[in-house]
Amino acid sequence: MEEKYGPECIGKVIRIIDDTEIIINAGEDILTIGDKITIYAIGDEITDLDGTSLGYYECDKATLTVATTTQHYSICKTEKKYKKSTLGVITNFSTDVFMGYEHISIDQEQAKPILIKNKDKVQVGDLVKKY
């Protein structure tokens, strides 16, 4: 995997069980139960101002925990989250709220976005690295 996807790539998503559990093609020789993995996609090549390649842009899609390992594959799951209320009533309101990033003043003519197809969706074939 390293020669094609870089030194951090340890495998790929080979099956999606549901929206909390996936299988990757990296086994117990690379991962142990409790390890964290990141599913990512590769974008444009990043070059220095002198044209030197600095590698490729990586877009992280999800971080999961290794729940089971076998010789040839691992099962990875999302983190468990529970809703608790001191009143004994569970509501749909979450305390985890992400609003976005603060904007900075930039020269818009120099902006060059990196486009990655399906950057927000995990898919079979997506790359995996150890977190």
Side-chain angles (χ1 to χ4, degrees):
M1 294 275 168
E2 179 176 335
E3 60 279 349
K4 190 169 184 179
Y5 303 113
E8 293 184 344
C9 183
I10 61 167
K12 291 184 178 184
V13 174
I14 59 171
R15 186 165 181 177
I16 299 170
I17 305 299
D18 58 32
D19 62 357
T20 66
E21 187 173 6
I22 63 152
I23 301 175
I24 63 172
N25 62 354
E28 60 194 15
D29 57 329
I30 299 171
L31 297 168
T32 58
I33 293 172
D35 282 349
K36 298 230 186 265
I37 58 105
T38 299
I39 300 168
Y40 69 104
I42 293 180
D44 298 343
E45 182 177 20
I46 306 299
T47 55
D48 206 341
L49 297 177
D50 66 1
T52 304
S53 176
L54 301 175
Y56 289 84
Y57 181 87
E58 291 182 5
C59 174
D60 293 348
K61 293 184 172 189
T63 298
L64 296 96
T65 302
V66 177
T68 305
T69 60
T70 71
Q71 185 177 358
H72 301 292
Y73 67 88
S74 296
I75 300 171
C76 304
K77 296 184 179 188
T78 58
E79 292 291 319
K80 293 181 183 178
K81 292 197 176 189
Y82 298 95
K83 292 183 182 179
K84 287 187 174 182
S85 171
T86 56
L87 302 174
V89 177
I90 297 174
T91 66
N92 287 330
F93 297 108
S94 173
T95 57
D96 298 330
V97 177
F98 178 74
M99 300 301 287
Y101 294 101
E102 183 178 341
H103 292 264
I104 58 174
S105 178
I106 63 168
D107 181 340
Q108 289 292 336
E109 291 179 14
Q110 293 182 350
K112 187 177 177 185
I114 295 176
L115 302 175
I116 297 177
K117 189 176 180 180
N118 295 314
K119 76 176 199 174
D120 296 325
K121 291 184 180 180
V122 173
Q123 298 180 304
V124 171
D126 279 348
L127 305 174
V128 177
K129 61 185 172 183
K130 212 169 176 180
Y131 183 75

